[in-house]
Amino acid sequence: MKSRKFLPITGQGAQGRDVHSTEQVYAFICDYIGQNNFAPSVRDIAKGCYLSVSAVLRHLDKLEAWGYITREPGVARSISLTHREETT
């Protein structure tokens, strides 16, 4: 996995770990879409990031609120990236 700089969030303690997990979820989604040309399911993300489905949903809600992804309610594999990585 490539190193990414994308979430301008800092945190301390448990919140800092939570932001790290959100970054991990975002990185997994980017890599999955890059390799498969379609979005992962919530269970794919949970398995790939070693998280529970409920934790993945929480991270997806954060990423959507921050504007990094969009989702269609009730549609499977509807995650779309709104931010593209900068190549340097």
Side-chain angles (χ1 to χ4, degrees), residues 31-80:
D31 290 343
Y32 191 97
I33 291 173
Q35 292 174 6
N36 299 292
N37 294 319
F38 58 88
S41 68
V42 173
R43 288 188 176 149
D44 290 333
I45 299 168
K47 184 177 178 182
C49 295
Y50 304 101
L51 297 169
S52 67
V53 170
S54 62
V56 169
L57 291 171
R58 186 178 67 245
H59 293 301
L60 292 176
D61 288 342
K62 287 181 184 181
L63 288 168
E64 191 169 23
W66 294 340
Y68 284 88
I69 64 168
T70 57
R71 296 182 286 172
E72 291 293 323
V75 179
R77 298 183 184 268
S78 66
I79 299 169
S80 297

